[in-house]
Structure formats: structure tokens, C-alpha cells
Amino acid sequence: MRGAVMYAPGDVRVENRDVPAIVEPADAIIRVAAACICGSDLWRYRGIEQLTGPAPMGHEYVGVVEQLGSAVTTLRPGDFVVGSFFASDNTCEICRAGYQTHCVNRRPGAATGAQSQLLRVPLADGTLVATPGQPDADLVPSLLAASDVLGTGWFAAVAAEAGPGKTVAVVGDGAVGLLGVLAARQLGAERIIAMSRHADRQKLAREYGATDIVEERGDAGVARIKELTNGLGAHSVIEAVGTQESMMQAIRATRAGGHVGYVGVAHDVSLPGEELFFSGVHLHGGPAPVRRFLPELIQLIWDRAIDPGKVFDLTLPLDRAADGYRAMDERTAIKVLLQP
Amino acid sequence: MRGAVMYAPGDVRVENRDVPAIVEPADAIIRVAAACICGSDLWRYRGIEQLTGPAPMGHEYVGVVEQLGSAVTTLRPGDFVVGSFFASDNTCEICRAGYQTHCVNRRPGAATGAQSQLLRVPLADGTLVATPGQPDADLVPSLLAASDVLGTGWFAAVAAEAGPGKTVAVVGDGAVGLLGVLAARQLGAERIIAMSRHADRQKLAREYGATDIVEERGDAGVARIKELTNGLGAHSVIEAVGTQESMMQAIRATRAGGHVGYVGVAHDVSLPGEELFFSGVHLHGGPAPVRRFLPELIQLIWDRAIDPGKVFDLTLPLDRAADGYRAMDERTAIKVLLQP
């Protein structure tokens, strides 16, 4: 079986890997129909996050159930499924509260290695959601987006309490930020300010519902958001980068009593307590409980009410994964879809 | 007019100060009936917060309207009023959203100098709330508590989303923490865990509705909260101290998806972004918008449904303010009431 493995920063190779097998009764084996490269994969690609050895890559996937463990009850072989990047039982108290990424039985790295032909998914009943039928080919990218970037952007918009009457600002114009725009729109936000200085991303942000574009960053970006909001700041700010600068930009662009939804994986971020205290904002985020939103998101995609698959502006065969990493690293592509 | 002034850490003197006068048409002059010493005053008393010169002290007060500026419409001379520690117009967009401490026209230090016989309060219509009539003497301490510590504990409980079915943990056994217990109880929390190692405070916590007491602090305190909550952590945690240790204790004692309401004024606190990210908690707090809650809290006190005045375990004449500061600093008193 072919699969992508990162050996060192900048060194991704597609090679033969062992065919996965059912290990536990709750497992499923999926034949991957499409996988993709995540912004969070770039932390290791760029050497910011340490590699401890060759690492099978990928945690976003859609595919067809090939084989099921004896304990799986909600899926059948042949089902087309969308998975989330953490395996969860979806039955514990934390899952029932909608925080499946914090499931008491979660497997954080469980779906790792999704950039491959076959994938073992533990806790299949709690992790995978079957689509209503076999999807048309043009729906596959959107379903794949639901597996992580859409679910993450959606969670950020929910955490930021985007909704009717609200002005939402989005920090970060990667796939998650752009889909945060889409989510804010779907949730009924009145005004959506996308922060981006790239023409292609600005264009997609507008297609997804952005009403304003702000090109400035940092303090200048904050000042621009204040200008656009009567000096008060946005009601809701989505943070989809994960750096010190982007977090502070998000907090400072939010009005007192407003909400920051942050989903950029924080790296070397330290929040000054006193500034946070006097900001009066709400802060919520973390690894998105995508599983909470999957049934709703799959339905919206199935009904062609949303088209999150547009974030994939480069499609490559799995064997060219290395080119995909390069394109995302150099930002010549927003998001890369890999076909096994 | 007599008033308390801090000259240096540990050096509080009651001396003759200028009688305040109406300066702006929205001002009121209040004859202070009772004032008190705040835990936040101790930061300067202990030299942790810098003094820039002799500082009139106090920002919690109740009293009788002595004189009003020409623009004040909701109050009459002779009204008994409860004020909040920041002056606010209570009409701007931020006030209407319930964040009066962030009012666009706020006066953060406006009520400073309340430990005195007379006090000028700007933006009187937006800052002061009249009681339904002249209060019985035994209600005065409770009304005074509403001015800050009760309003702050209440905000913390609201920010922590204390409510039916919830387990609430309270970090900090000062007046704010104890009144956070009272607030959580009023808001319908099922279980309230007070963190305290002082018998007198434990006793009051129980009277206010605490169902459990945890004496451990730091990691051991967190472990104890987890033990009491099936390994998950509390749904809601009130943070009423403001140190690095107490903030981390609060965050770590909260389950994923739960809520931390923090009202301890943060000093030298720095929140690690990655830990916060993976905690999955909601964080909200800051200077409490007491004004939002005053009408409701005054009514509860008036109806004798709550008795927050019990936190005052030492009453002194204003001229003995220095003894009051010493008692709070040495924790021989929970909260000191000063009678001008």
C-alpha cells in the first residue's frame, strides 16, 4: 500500500507501507477516496514542530468502508464515510456535550497516516459518519473538507458566536479561515470581514460571504477593524493561524463582551493575563470537535447548500504528495487534495 | 471631610480632604453610608502594584444622594443608592450588551476615594441605582456588598455558566469567592466545591451553598476536583484570586467544553497558549460589569433572599481604616466595612 511519510522537514516521500488490519473490534479499515494536506502538517514540514522519526502523514480523509471490526454497528462495508481527525467514542459525557476531540477514550493520532490508500480508524462508530449514499464525484472535495478544515472553521465560527446581527472578523486566510467565513455566513452573520492580502484568497472569501476585506495586519489590522465597527471592534473574531501575533490581533480586534473563536494550533503563544483581563472578551477554541458538526455539514454538502471543496485549488495523485507539501509551504496553493 | 489615603505600602491614613463638588452636569455627590476595603486594594498595600503618589482609597460604597448635577434624571436628593466601581453611561452599545465596565464613556477610577464621608460620582444616571426606599440598617452591609464583591462574584458565576445540573468549583475564599458560591447557588448549580483551608471561610462557604470543601491547592487541588467529578473536571470554575497559580488551577480543574469565569485582577499572569488550546475550556472574565446585575441584586437583598453582607466580619469607624487594611492583609478579617 502506498502512503506519505515525512522523514525530515521538507522531506516527504510516498512509499510502500504495511496494509492496515483490524486490531480492535471497534476498528474500521477505509479505502481512502481522497485525503489532503493540512496547514498543521506544515509546522513539522517547516521544522517548527519536532519530528521524532519518520512520520506517516495525513489526518483528513473520506473513503469507502472496506472492513469492519465485530463491534461496529452503525456502518456497513461499502459505505462512503467522512471521518474526523481524532477518534472518539461519541458516547461519553464529554462527547455528548459536543467535545469529541476531548473524548475520555479519544485517540488523538488515531487517523494519522490518512495520506495513503488504506487507513485504520479506531472507534469507527463514534468517529465516522456515512453519507446518505455514494456521492457524485464533484461532492468528494467538499466532503473531504468536512473532515477537518470545514469542521474546524465551523467550530471557530460557533465558538466566536457568529450569528444574526453580528460583525465577524476572520484572522487567517488559509482554508480554515476561508471556511470560517463560509460558516459565519451560514450562521447568519450580518457582516464578515476577511483579513487577507492575497487576491485569490480575497476572491474566495467574497464568494463565501465576506462583505469586507482588510489587508492590514497586526496593530494596523486591529485599527482597521475598529474603524469598520464604530470604534468598538468586532462582535466575533475567528483566529485561524496560531501565532502570537494572530492571537493578539484577534483579541484586540474583539469588542468587550465579544467572542474570540481560536482554532489555529497555538505555537509559542503566551497570553498576557492582565491585557486579557481588561479586554473583557470571551475566549474559546482548541482542536475542533468536528464530529459534532459532521451530520449537519454532510447534509448541507449533500443538498449543495455549501461548496467548501472550492478551497482545494490543487489536486495531485498521492504519489506526488511532496509537490503538494511544497505548494502549500510556498502558499502557491490554498489546500491540496491527494488522490490515492 | 475625612477620607482614607494611602501614602506608601502599609501606610494608610485618614485625613481631611477637600469636600467634593459637582463638576459635570451628570455628577452626583453622595454622603457615604458605608464603604469597604477591597482585596484589590491590597495589591498596592503590599507593594505589588506601584503607588505613584498619595492615593485616595476605596471604590465600593452605598450612600444617600446629597446633590445632583443638572443633567441627572433618574435620581432625587435623599435617594439611597448603590454604585458600581466604574462609572458608565449605561446607554452605549457596550453597556446595552451588559459590559458597563467597558462603556465607551467609562471612568475607570471615577469612584476612587469612596472610603470617605462624601464622594463625587460621575455619570450618576448610568452608575448609581436607587434602592426601593430607605433600607433597614441590617440591609446596608448587603447593599454595600452588591457594589463590588457580590456583583463580581455574580459575574464570575455567570461567566462560568453556573446553572442547573452543573458542578461549580470556586478558586479563592476571599469575599468574591464566597459570594461566587452564593451566586452559583442562586443560579441553580447542583454541586458547589469551595477551595479553602480556613475554617471560618469554609463555614461561610457552606452557609452560602457549598456542598464540598477542598483544602488542597495547585496540582493537588486540581486532582481533588477531578476525583470529585468522575475524572472530568468541573463544568464551571470561578477564579477569584488573580495569580498564575490560581489561573492555572482554574483552567486545569475545568473539563473540556467547560467554562472558567475569572475575576481576580491578573498580576504577572501569562497563559500558555498551547495548554489553553488543548484544554478546550471557555475563558471569560475581567472587571465585573456590576451595573448589569445591580437592579436584580438589590431586589434579592431587599427581599432578604440573599445575605451577602455576612462577608463583613469586621466593622470599623472610617478613622480606623488603617486597622482595617492590616486585618485584611493579615487575613484576620475576610472583609472590612468602614463607617464614615
Side-chain angles (χ1 to χ4, degrees), chain A residues 93 255 269-271 273 283, chain B residues 93 255 269-271 273 281 283:
Chain A
E93 198 174 329
R255 67 180 57 195
V269 169
S270 168
L271 302 182
L283 206 57
Chain B
E93 197 174 330
R255 65 180 59 196
V269 170
S270 168
L271 302 181
V281 304
L283 206 58

Side-chain angles (χ1 to χ4, degrees), chain A residues 309-331:
Chain A
K310 276 189 205 163
V311 294
F312 295 105
D313 53 353
L314 179 60
T315 296
L316 293 171
L318 173 61
D319 275 332
R320 287 187 55 200
D323 294 336
Y325 276 84
R326 197 170 310 116
M328 284 199 44
D329 178 44
E330 293 169 357
R331 289 177 71 90

Side-chain angles (χ1 to χ4, degrees), chain A residues 21-29 68-72 107 110 120-124:
Chain A
I22 298 287
V23 177
E24 297 171 296
D27 288 354
I29 304 295
L68 292 169
S70 58
V72 180
R107 312 285 179 87
R120 173 183 163 240
V121 180
L123 301 172

Side-chain angles (χ1 to χ4, degrees), chain B residues 4-161:
Chain B
V5 178
M6 190 180 292
Y7 278 82
D11 180 9
V12 174
R13 306 177 203 168
V14 176
E15 56 184 25
N16 290 324
R17 291 179 50 214
D18 290 344
V19 170
I22 298 285
V23 178
E24 296 171 297
D27 288 353
I29 304 296
I30 305 302
R31 181 161 297 276
V32 177
C36 48
I37 300 170
C38 184
S40 70
D41 293 334
L42 296 181
W43 293 106
R44 281 183 290 178
Y45 190 81
R46 290 169 177 164
I48 296 168
E49 222 176 81
Q50 212 60 25
L51 271 170
T52 49
M57 297 301 292
H59 54 264
E60 303 161 275
Y61 56 97
V62 291
V64 176
V65 174
E66 183 102 349
Q67 204 188 336
L68 292 168
S70 58
V72 180
T73 60
T74 61
L75 302 167
R76 293 285 165 268
D79 281 352
F80 192 93
V81 292
V82 185
S84 41
F85 53 88
F86 278 17
S88 56
D89 64 20
N90 208 31
T91 57
C92 77
E93 197 174 330
I94 299 295
C95 282
R96 291 200 313 274
Y99 285 87
Q100 289 89 342
T101 21
H102 302 273
C103 168
V104 298
N105 293 311
R106 74 184 173 282
R107 311 285 179 89
T112 298
Q115 292 162 10
S116 62
Q117 293 180 301
L118 292 162
L119 176 68
R120 172 183 164 242
V121 180
L123 300 172
D125 279 326
T127 307
L128 301 171
V129 178
T131 55
Q134 295 300 316
D136 292 339
D138 69 317
L139 288 185
V140 170
S142 287
L143 292 167
L144 176 61
S147 169
D148 180 347
V149 278
L150 173 60
T152 296
W154 198 275
F155 172 61
V158 168
E161 303 219 343

